[in-house]
Amino acid sequence: MAVAMQPEENPIVFEQDFVITEEMIDRNKHLNNVVCVQWIQDISVNHSDSTGGTDLMEELGCGWMIHTQHVEYKAQAFLGEKIHGITWVPEYSKISTNRHCKFIRESDGKEIFSSVTTWVLVDMKRGRPVAIPEELKDKLLIDGVFVTSNGVMTSGLWRKDVRECLFPTGMTVWSSCVDGSGVSCLLS
């Protein structure tokens, strides 16, 4: 029996658009900061869902819990504006990961707010932190073709953290598609 193929989602960076509606406006007539925190949650969950990470996490009997969250508000946003959200996970420890988010107004490219959230993986039955399994981290890896700053094209394994490209030779290039410091990625 043939199985329908599903297109691969790009797990390196996840993007989602938001529109500010009337119920999102606070008494100061701009986007309520409570909505900003909800958007951080929404884009994080949607990113995990898109990689299959949420399903695997549930199969393992685990859940992500917020340990710390830093939100920096940089500009106001108003009714009807379109905001483009971007999230990525650049670093891990044994039991936690930092997820970064940026939210940018589409009309002028101005960053409205950003966040760094430390998530801890928790065993839901015991309520205790657990080590992040490699199979869960593997949900954040993608094969691709990469062009180094000197124009050499090669293939490798690009880590979700957008800072490490592992090549078959074992060579590691430390740079980033996000900050533009030398490696461009062409996803296959």
Side-chain angles (χ1 to χ4, degrees), residues 3-167:
V3 177
M5 300 300 287
Q6 297 295 318
E8 293 282 332
E9 292 294 325
N10 177 356
I12 294 172
V13 173
F14 182 81
E15 302 181 27
Q16 181 176 347
D17 292 324
F18 300 87
V19 176
I20 301 173
T21 60
E22 194 167 325
E23 62 273 4
M24 297 175 181
I25 300 297
D26 66 14
R27 64 191 305 186
N28 296 319
K29 308 224 183 304
H30 63 84
L31 180 64
N32 190 316
N33 63 344
V34 173
V35 174
C36 297
V37 173
Q38 182 64 53
W39 285 1
I40 294 166
Q41 174 79 14
D42 293 347
I43 197 170
S44 299
V45 170
N46 291 340
H47 181 207
S48 183
D49 289 350
S50 75
T51 66
T54 303
D55 291 338
L56 179 57
M57 176 188 65
E58 290 173 356
E59 287 173 25
L60 296 170
C62 296
W64 290 108
M65 303 285 180
I66 293 176
H67 177 63
T68 62
Q69 186 168 57
H70 174 79
V71 182
E72 187 174 344
Y73 299 96
K74 300 179 179 186
Q76 296 182 41
F78 303 96
L79 181 64
E81 291 184 325
K82 295 179 182 177
I83 308 297
H84 186 71
I86 304 165
T87 188
W88 66 99
V89 182
E91 51 209 355
Y92 296 89
S93 73
K94 183 177 179 180
I95 63 168
S96 65
T97 183
N98 285 337
R99 175 179 289 280
H100 294 248
C101 297
K102 286 187 180 185
F103 294 83
I104 300 162
R105 183 174 26 237
E106 286 189 4
S107 64
D108 62 4
K110 186 158 183 103
E111 188 173 321
I112 304 303
F113 66 98
S114 63
S115 69
V116 178
T117 305
T118 302
W119 295 82
V120 175
L121 191 63
V122 174
D123 179 311
M124 298 307 287
K125 288 182 181 174
R126 296 181 356 191
R128 306 280 304 158
V130 295
I132 302 169
E134 287 302 315
E135 63 187 311
L136 189 54
K137 287 182 184 178
D138 287 347
K139 292 291 182 183
L140 304 175
L141 297 173
I142 187 168
D143 286 313
V145 176
F146 308 95
V147 181
T148 62
S149 56
N150 64 2
V152 176
M153 185 177 286
T154 187
S155 63
L157 190 62
W158 188 257
R159 288 190 55 91
K160 171 73 174 134
D161 59 20
V162 194
R163 296 199 197 298
E164 179 180 31
C165 184
L166 303 174
F167 295 95

